[in-house]
Amino acid sequence: MKSNLPLSMLPVILTGLVMGSCLGNGKEDSQNNRPNIIILLADDQGYGDVSYHKIHPHEVSTPGIDQLASEGVIFTNGYASAYVCAPTRAGLLTGRYQQRFGFYTAGDSREGMPLDEITLADILKDNGYTTGIFGKWHLGLEAPFRPLNRGFDNFYGFLGHGAHDYFELDCDPGDLHNCIYRDSVIIHDTGYLTDNLAREAIGFIEENSSGNPFFLYLAFNAVHWPLQAPEVDIAKFSNENPDRNVYLAMLHRMDIAVDNVINSLKENGLYENSLIFYLSDNGGAKKVSADNIPLRDFKQSTYEGGIRVPFVVSWPQYFEHRKIDEPVISLDIMPTICDVLNIEPTEERLIDGKSMLPLLEERQDGPLHEYLYWDGDQDRWAVRNGKWKLVKNNRGDIELYDLDNDISEGLNLAEQYPDIYDNLQLKYNEWRSEMGDPMGK
């Protein structure tokens, strides 16, 4: 840690937040030292498709993302809360298993995240932050569910559904939900969408560089299908698989966007005191030729390739570079931010995420989560407890894996360890019984 004081003694820190919705005010003595909060969320990025993992050193180069990793903390067991994008985004902004409020599938984004759910943007706005989202919303199409009604002051991007053309940014009158919005107004834009998202995010940083702290949620749709990138970038790659070349060009363009955002923070004197999270919303997609090596399978799967993702936390003023192997999940981001900002819960509301601050401060005693769960209401699910993971796969088989010794989930140990198998199935059943009814049923 880079502070002269233990991080846990700084005035902006409150440890131990587990329950409640973080709606109280941060303490007065923390106001002048509050970090800017930045979430950089990739879409369908492969676990192996960051160069800090050194899995494809001659093929994958992500210097922008690597800068965060080299100066921050890499979580090697970082998870998204779903194997598709919209449910993860719902859990990320609430700190709750999205299944609690019936949000199981990407299609639930058409109905929208329930209006009684409190978002991270609500919390930060109530505590004096200027809030902005740039990119893919995917949490509701109609006006009450849109970003400006869910705690955000600024919005540039599209509402839904999952994919968006990267070059065609004009508005189709027959599909208003896929138009580009600036705040609540449909605009006609040009250019390459990933570049534009960085442009808008940087404008937001510059506009708020000398005022209140800000929350920047840069929700990329890259590297989600359709496979589209500038030809000059595609020409940089020479794989036998042409789709992989386009995917890598899209990744390259997104990495440039990340790098430009970091440079803007530095140029405005904000980087050192910015708390930055980088992750993907689910595992890499087979459709775009993403690579999840050494993990098994892809997006849409409860094997590791569908849910384990690149996951980095950076706060240069306080965190030294290191790796943490303890499992964490995207649900943990909201309570971590509340913990850092000394925002106390003011009403009972079950928050499933846990603050990662004890891990980041090297004072965590025992596992952060005893159990982690995944379920998309499609008869496939998973539960993890320590090194053990029970998986119900797309074929309906229930399998047990030792992730410490079998990260690729190749050796099913269900018959060798029936007690562990039974316990994990029982825990999953108990957890699922506590979740809400799916929206679409």
Side-chain angles (χ1 to χ4, degrees), residues 118-221:
I118 299 162
T119 73
L120 177 58
D122 289 323
I123 295 164
L124 293 176
K125 186 173 181 177
D126 285 348
N127 282 275
Y129 274 68
T130 303
T131 58
I133 172 175
F134 305 94
K136 175 176 172 176
W137 176 235
H138 213 194
L139 292 175
L141 300 175
E142 304 308 323
F145 299 92
R146 295 178 183 177
L148 298 190
N149 291 315
R150 306 311 300 265
F152 288 99
D153 297 308
N154 299 110
F155 171 48
Y156 172 93
F158 64 100
L159 298 170
H161 303 290
H164 198 287
D165 195 284
Y166 288 84
F167 290 105
E168 181 52 63
L169 307 182
D170 209 354
C171 186
D172 178 357
D175 187 14
L176 296 180
H177 297 138
N178 224 31
C179 295
I180 300 296
Y181 284 77
R182 176 169 281 116
D183 297 333
S184 59
V185 178
I186 292 173
I187 66 170
H188 303 277
D189 212 344
T190 60
Y192 186 66
L193 185 52
T194 303
D195 296 347
N196 292 4
L197 298 183
R199 176 196 72 202
E200 298 292 322
I202 289 167
F204 178 79
I205 291 169
E206 293 173 346
E207 184 177 343
N208 294 284
S209 60
S210 59
N212 291 335
F214 58 79
F215 168 41
L216 167 59
Y217 177 32
L218 180 47
F220 291 107
N221 59 309

Side-chain angles (χ1 to χ4, degrees), residues 4-23:
N4 292 328
L5 293 172
L7 188 56
S8 58
M9 296 181 65
L10 291 172
V12 295
I13 302 304
L14 172 68
T15 61
L17 176 66
V18 176
M19 301 285 288
S21 60
C22 315
L23 286 179

Side-chain angles (χ1 to χ4, degrees), residues 90-91 94-98 100-101 117 331 349-353:
T94 61
R96 290 156 53 79
Y97 277 114
Q98 60 274 1
R100 289 198 182 278
F101 44 91
E117 288 299 317
L331 308 175
R349 189 176 187 85
L350 182 59
I351 301 297
D352 295 293

Side-chain angles (χ1 to χ4, degrees), residues 248-266:
L248 290 172
M250 295 166 69
L251 178 62
H252 169 68
R253 210 72 183 183
M254 184 178 70
D255 186 73
I256 290 173
V258 170
D259 192 53
N260 288 341
V261 168
I262 294 171
N263 288 336
S264 178
L265 292 170
K266 290 181 176 180

Side-chain angles (χ1 to χ4, degrees), residues 330-380:
S330 50
L331 308 175
D332 298 331
I333 290 174
M334 189 273 276
T336 300
I337 292 167
C338 287
D339 199 350
V340 165
L341 295 178
N342 200 8
I343 298 172
E344 300 183 34
T346 59
E347 64 179 10
E348 287 301 315
R349 189 176 187 85
L350 182 59
I351 301 297
D352 295 293
K354 305 285 184 70
S355 173
M356 295 180 280
L357 205 56
L359 288 172
L360 293 162
E361 293 182 321
E362 301 181 72
R363 56 181 176 79
Q364 177 70 27
D365 184 16
L368 187 66
H369 294 274
E370 188 172 6
Y371 297 92
L372 290 172
Y373 303 92
W374 295 268
D375 187 344
D377 193 45
Q378 295 174 316
D379 200 31
R380 51 185 182 267

Side-chain angles (χ1 to χ4, degrees), residues 51-82:
S51 49
Y52 71 75
H53 276 160
K54 298 180 173 61
I55 293 172
H56 303 293
H58 302 297
E59 179 185 63
V60 175
S61 177
T62 54
I65 300 167
D66 286 4
Q67 181 177 176
L68 291 175
S70 66
E71 298 176 351
V73 179
I74 298 169
F75 285 90
T76 61
N77 283 266
Y79 288 97
S81 66

